Amino acid sequence: MKIFSKLTENRDLSLALGYFDGVHKGHQSVIKRAVEYAKLNSKKSAVITFKDHPCCYFWGVCPKYILSREERRAKIENLGVDYLYELDFADVADMSAKDYLEHVIIKYFRPAAITTGFNHNFGLNKSGDTKFLSDMADTYGYMYFETPEQKVTGETVSSTKIRELLSGGKIELANDMLGYKFPIEGEVVEGQKLGRKIGFRTANLVYPGELIDLPFGVYSVDVKYGGRVYRGITNFGLRPTVSDDNRCTLETHILDFDEEIYGKSLRIEFNKMIRPEKKFNSIDDLRNQINKDIAIAYR
């Protein structure tokens, strides 16, 4: 997949339009439809999106993201997309829907097809929507596909709902809506080595500041390292039993694993929340609770 940060002339594509934070099941349905049309009609596919959420422009504050930009790119690529355009929203923020369609989408892409979600809006004051795109299809000679809402347990899948679930510790339902397990990936950094003193060595990652905050607590996770998948439990929080420096940490005890991996890349995929973080009266109490956490996570 080729990635562009500026508009380039690239005609006769099958386009998927949207922001696609999370690349959840709803987003996947949009992108898959665009890719499917491209393959069936010997075309190339492209996702047209923005580097940052439009809220960053309008309100000066970016929302907490579900995925890092690198992770989002990887998931879009895995869906078979040929080109990804990550534009600056400020360049188009003041365009009407008609101007955006004519002077961006048609001028640079003259698309064979456009696919969006059922609730897609664009243009100044959200003046463009699915009906507008459908009405203009004959004028500009593209096919238009509106994908229906996707539901999980009766609820419509959306980035807003997934953020709500993740911030509430409802990891399993969030994962069902995402279509994959919520991930954190990064380089293992040195901690205070307190875990090994109580018999549970941990690999520490810096929690990405741009991502949605999970509740402080203990989680069942899958750990991906060196081409293998390990079971693990992760504590995200302040470690009140063993530390009083108020530093937030993400530390993972990897089961059946005993390697020095400082500086190595580690991927943590969250399965479920086991319990909130709490302060124990003693190290022995903490040690006993960790054993219980492991039993609960993998019973």
Side-chain angles (χ1 to χ4, degrees):
M1 182 178 73
K2 294 183 179 179
I3 301 174
F4 299 90
S5 60
K6 298 291 183 182
L7 288 166
T8 60
E9 190 171 297
N10 196 353
R11 293 174 174 258
D12 204 30
L13 302 178
S14 176
L15 302 181
L17 307 183
Y19 183 65
F20 304 120
D21 177 30
V23 197
H24 55 59
K25 284 183 176 178
H27 296 152
Q28 291 168 30
S29 69
V30 174
I31 296 170
K32 286 177 180 178
R33 184 68 185 89
V35 170
E36 178 184 71
Y37 180 89
K39 290 181 177 179
L40 289 175
N41 293 277
S42 300
K43 311 288 185 184
K44 295 290 188 179
S45 60
V47 165
I48 312 298
T49 188
F50 299 104
K51 294 176 184 175
D52 297 305
H53 197 284
C55 290
C56 304
Y57 174 84
F58 288 119
W59 299 330
V61 178
C62 293
K64 290 284 191 173
Y65 295 118
I66 297 169
L67 293 178
S68 67
R69 183 174 296 172
E70 293 75 16
E71 190 78 36
R72 184 172 68 152
R73 286 174 174 175
K75 292 200 177 298
I76 290 173
E77 182 174 22
N78 287 341
L79 292 170
V81 173
D82 296 299
Y83 307 109
L84 172 62
Y85 285 82
E86 296 177 327
L87 307 180
D88 286 318
F89 184 75
D91 293 340
V92 302
D94 295 326
M95 285 186 174
S96 68
K98 185 174 185 294
D99 284 344
Y100 179 72
L101 181 61
E102 288 184 352
H103 299 304
V104 175
I105 301 301
I106 302 302
K107 177 181 177 180
Y108 287 94
F109 301 104
R110 186 62 69 172
I114 295 175
T115 303
T116 73
F118 70 98
N119 58 351
H120 183 69
N121 289 283
F122 64 100
L124 188 64
N125 298 320
K126 297 184 178 180
S127 52
D129 55 15
T130 58
K131 183 179 184 303
F132 178 78
L133 287 171
S134 179
D135 290 346
M136 301 302 289
D138 288 342
T139 301
Y140 292 111
Y142 59 80
M143 297 289 293
Y144 175 64
F145 303 103
E146 175 189 336
T147 61
E149 62 184 328
Q150 304 295 305
K151 291 193 172 185
V152 170
T153 63
E155 291 194 80
T156 299
V157 174
S158 71
S159 296
T160 299
K161 183 62 181 178
I162 291 168
R163 288 190 189 95
E164 176 188 317
L165 292 169
L166 289 172
S167 63
K170 298 178 180 178
I171 308 300
E172 292 168 288
L173 183 52
N175 287 346
D176 285 343
M177 289 193 170
L178 287 168
Y180 56 86
K181 296 177 180 179
F182 175 68
I184 299 290
E185 187 165 351
E187 181 180 298
V188 178
V189 298
E190 287 202 46
Q192 296 175 294
K193 298 182 173 64
L194 298 175
R196 65 184 64 192
K197 294 179 180 179
I198 60 173
F200 295 96
R201 294 180 59 177
T202 60
N204 294 359
L205 301 182
V206 176
Y207 195 96
E210 73 273 18
L211 296 190
I212 189 75
D213 292 315
L214 298 178
F216 287 173
V218 178
Y219 296 84
S220 163
V221 299
D222 291 339
V223 182
K224 294 186 176 180
Y225 172 74
R228 293 186 58 185
V229 180
Y230 299 88
R231 298 181 302 169
I233 57 167
T234 291
N235 185 85
F236 176 53
L238 302 175
R239 304 175 302 167
T241 306
V242 297
S243 178
D244 58 3
D245 62 7
N246 291 321
R247 286 193 302 171
C248 185
T249 64
L250 181 77
E251 50 186 6
T252 299
H253 174 64
I254 309 172
L255 277 63
D256 304 313
F257 184 86
D258 187 23
E259 294 183 30
E260 291 287 355
I261 54 174
Y262 294 125
K264 304 291 186 180
S265 179
L266 201 68
R267 182 180 180 86
I268 308 297
E269 296 183 347
F270 290 78
N271 295 317
K272 64 181 179 181
M273 186 174 184
I274 298 173
R275 61 172 174 84
E277 185 176 55
K278 63 175 291 187
K279 183 173 183 176
F280 294 92
N281 293 326
S282 68
I283 294 298
D284 284 340
D285 287 346
L286 173 59
R287 184 184 295 112
N288 291 335
Q289 183 61 56
I290 294 173
N291 282 315
K292 291 178 182 177
D293 293 338
I294 295 171
I296 291 170
Y298 298 106
R299 62 186 173 191

